[in-house]
């Protein structure tokens, strides 16, 4: 049957490229004994002390033995992250809110810097100086689009206030 499928779809570039086990990059891994599915097959490291909130997948039975503690969830981005971790990792309800939370966390960081009296160098931190130097066309395009969107937003808001 494999040959008939290969013949049927030979005009499709890449079709059945992994049908030959000698050409399959995962082939040696397929010869495992599947012992790892019985549980931990290695000695688990000593559990790190959990003294802050650690978000983890609802598909995991426990917290990983070692985890980062530098940025526990906080603020609006933390609330969004907590909600995202209620969903399975194969669900858009998990990943899209995490992306949104990352963007919100950037703004929260800038506000936090300003509260502490530190003025962030947004141009350097966002890589705009390098982009201006090495990819000026894209930088000009981004600036033009940003200005156009800002102008539209101001125009729309000024019409609403009238």
């Amino acid at each position: 049957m494999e040959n008939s499928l290969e013949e049927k779809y030979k005009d499709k570039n890449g079709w059945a490229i992994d049908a030959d086990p000698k050409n399959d990059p995962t082939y040696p891994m397929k010869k495992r004994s599947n012992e790892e599915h019985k549980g931990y097959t290695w000695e688990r490291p000593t559990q790190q002390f959990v003294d802050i909130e650690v978000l983890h997948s609802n598909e995991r039975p426990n917290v990983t033995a070692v985890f980062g503690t530098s940025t526990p969830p906080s603020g609006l981005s933390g609330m969004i992250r907590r909600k995202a971790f209620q969903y399975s990792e194969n669900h858009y309800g998990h990943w899209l809110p995490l992306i949104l939370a990352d963007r919100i966390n950037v703004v929260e960081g800038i506000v936090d810097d300003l509260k502490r009296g530190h003025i962030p160098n947004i141009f350097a931190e966002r890589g705009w100086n390098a982009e201006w130097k090495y990819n000026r066309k894209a930088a000009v395009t981004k600036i033009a689009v940003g200005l156009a969107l800002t102008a539209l937003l101001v125009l729309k808001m000024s019409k609403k206030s009238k």
Side-chain angles (χ1 to χ4, degrees):
M1 183 168 173
E2 278 183 30
N3 289 338
S4 64
L5 282 176
E6 287 179 38
E7 288 297 317
K8 184 177 178 182
Y9 295 107
K10 67 182 175 187
D11 60 325
K12 305 283 188 224
N13 188 19
W15 179 264
I17 199 164
D18 59 348
D20 180 11
K22 293 179 186 132
N23 189 31
D24 184 358
T26 64
Y27 180 68
M29 292 172 35
K30 289 181 180 175
K31 294 219 176 256
R32 290 186 277 184
S33 65
N34 288 329
E35 288 292 316
E36 69 274 6
H37 294 293
K38 293 180 182 175
Y40 292 122
T41 58
W42 42 271
E43 189 174 322
R44 193 169 196 266
T46 306
Q47 177 67 50
Q48 181 179 344
F49 182 68
V50 181
D51 60 347
I52 62 167
E53 180 182 11
V54 179
L55 299 174
H56 65 92
S57 170
N58 59 11
E59 296 162 356
R60 285 191 61 82
N62 50 15
V63 177
T64 56
V66 180
F67 50 86
T69 60
S70 64
T71 53
S74 64
L76 177 61
S77 63
M79 289 173 23
I80 294 171
R81 289 179 202 283
R82 287 181 197 97
K83 193 72 175 164
F85 275 93
Q86 293 175 358
Y87 292 94
S88 172
E89 289 185 16
N90 68 342
H91 196 275
Y92 283 125
H94 179 81
W95 294 107
L96 292 179
L98 288 178
I99 293 170
L100 176 64
D102 286 345
R103 302 312 183 266
I104 291 172
N105 192 248
V106 169
V107 175
E108 289 174 337
I110 292 170
V111 170
D112 190 45
D113 283 346
L114 293 173
K115 277 199 274 186
R116 294 177 186 196
H118 176 264
I119 298 173
N121 186 351
I122 295 173
F123 293 103
E125 292 174 10
R126 302 270 309 158
W128 291 345
N129 293 338
E131 184 151 22
W132 182 257
K133 184 176 180 181
Y134 296 107
N135 193 6
R136 193 164 290 187
K137 182 180 177 185
V140 169
T141 302
K142 287 179 184 178
I143 292 168
V145 169
L147 288 173
L149 290 174
T150 303
L152 285 172
L153 184 65
V154 168
L155 186 64
K156 189 171 184 160
M157 290 179 78
S158 67
K159 282 185 178 181
K160 280 186 178 180
S161 64
K162 288 180 182 181

